[in-house]
Amino acid sequence: MGRSPAVHLGYIGNFILENFTVKLIAYPSISMRAIYIWRRNFFVWKKLAIGSLLGNLADPMIYLFGLGYGLGGLLPQINGVSYIAFLGSGTVCASTMNAASFEALYSTFSRMHDQRTWEAIMNAPIALEDVMSGELLWAASKAMLSGTAMLIVLFALGIVTSPMALWALPVIFLAGLTFASLGLIATMLASSYDFFMFYFTLFVTPMMMLSGVFFPLDQMPSSVQVVSGWLPLTHVIALVRPLLLSGEVPVALISHAVSLFATSLIAFWIAVILGRRRFLQ
């Protein structure tokens, strides 16, 4: 006996559902078209480049001079270096995180939601994955600029002198990719700019306090140190600080780098899945 039309429709419905689910959760295929998105954002940014760079430097410079020279004058050396040197290496990492987060959150959401730039771009033969990959690369590039600018300031002040500090640049870019990927997840979930206050309050600010930016991790309770070990910023600081302060190769370099790389890959995958649900359903 032949199957009834209802059974055929059930098979067809299951086939469509299964294939759509597979496409929804498939890892994004990255193409060179993402470069066009990066270039488009770069041309827009060039008009406001100076103001953007100064804005990215404002907060870390306030921390560096306010706490570094003010509070640092009252403190002994930390791990064999002055407090301003200890803090300076942390602010390089924190400024990278903040720059990547702001770009992946506020600027990306503006292009996606308010300006509807993404919709206009996807009318061309460019997929959602290309747009999101371009946004990821652009946010990481801006974070690289911010972290590099802070590094130049530390060199100019004589706080950092070792040529090994230049090896921090690829770490800064990897950190930018990591925090931009995490920020894209929040952007894909957001319905308005107000949503980002939760992200900064519950994730970014606690990470600055618990990752060793302002004080050594060994000063915290052991339970907090366990939590800190899972935070991306902790891995970034563990890689950058030895390069800047002592010119030494970081301990457990491979494990820290792999943790950051894996976090960026997984976070970007989740962001793309959420983006597909937002745009393609």
Side-chain angles (χ1 to χ4, degrees):
M1 282 181 69
R3 295 186 178 92
S4 67
V7 173
H8 281 294
L9 288 175
Y11 276 116
I12 293 172
N14 289 334
F15 177 80
I16 293 174
L17 181 61
E18 289 173 2
N19 278 271
F20 181 78
T21 303
V22 169
K23 291 181 180 179
L24 183 68
I25 65 173
Y27 197 82
S29 56
I30 310 301
S31 75
M32 293 302 293
R33 289 187 291 267
I35 300 299
Y36 295 110
I37 308 301
W38 183 95
R39 189 173 65 176
R40 181 261 172 203
N41 292 342
F42 172 73
F43 285 146
V44 174
W45 172 81
K46 276 202 312 183
K47 302 174 183 178
L48 304 169
I50 296 177
S52 176
L53 284 173
L54 291 177
N56 287 334
L57 280 173
D59 278 350
M61 292 291 285
I62 290 172
Y63 286 127
L64 182 64
F65 290 109
L67 293 178
Y69 285 114
L71 182 61
L74 305 175
L75 297 175
Q77 288 191 336
I78 298 178
N79 297 334
V81 298
S82 65
Y83 181 69
I84 190 170
F86 180 89
L87 178 63
S89 59
T91 55
V92 170
C93 305
S95 64
T96 301
M97 176 184 68
N98 287 330
S101 298
F102 271 101
E103 185 64 29
L105 296 171
Y106 290 98
S107 299
T108 298
F109 185 79
S110 177
R111 289 188 288 269
M112 179 189 73
H113 187 266
D114 294 347
Q115 301 172 9
R116 297 188 179 277
T117 303
W118 285 25
E119 293 180 14
I121 292 173
M122 286 189 290
N123 284 325
I126 294 182
L128 174 65
E129 287 89 342
D130 299 324
V131 178
M132 296 187 67
S133 301
E135 293 286 354
L136 175 68
L137 291 174
W138 173 242
S141 299
K142 285 199 68 178
M144 179 81 170
L145 284 173
S146 180
T148 303
M150 277 302 302
L151 190 58
I152 291 172
V153 170
L154 296 182
F155 270 113
L157 294 174
I159 296 174
V160 173
T161 57
S162 173
M164 284 289 290
L166 296 177
W167 285 105
L169 295 177
V171 178
I172 290 171
F173 184 73
L174 177 58
L177 288 174
T178 302
F179 293 114
S181 299
L182 293 168
L184 284 174
I185 294 177
T187 300
M188 292 303 103
L189 292 171
S191 58
S192 68
Y193 293 102
D194 294 335
F195 181 82
F196 300 138
M197 291 300 298
F198 296 103
Y199 182 79
F200 276 94
T201 302
L202 300 177
F203 184 65
V204 174
T205 301
M207 192 154 43
M208 287 187 65
M209 296 294 107
L210 300 177
S211 297
V213 175
F214 301 106
F215 42 80
L217 291 178
D218 56 18
Q219 299 296 314
M220 296 187 295
S222 57
S223 58
V224 177
Q225 293 182 40
V226 172
V227 174
S228 300
W230 289 90
L231 300 177
L233 186 59
T234 302
H235 296 292
V236 178
I237 293 174
L239 291 172
V240 170
R241 184 163 276 153
L243 293 169
L244 267 56
L245 298 186
S246 57
E248 298 177 351
V249 176
V251 177
L253 184 152
I254 300 299
S255 63
H256 290 304
V258 169
S259 295
L260 291 173
F261 188 67
T263 300
S264 63
L265 288 178
I266 295 171
F268 183 64
W269 187 5
I270 295 172
V272 170
I273 292 173
L274 295 173
R276 288 169 180 159
R277 292 182 60 185
R278 183 167 187 148
F279 282 92
L280 303 181
Q281 279 191 343

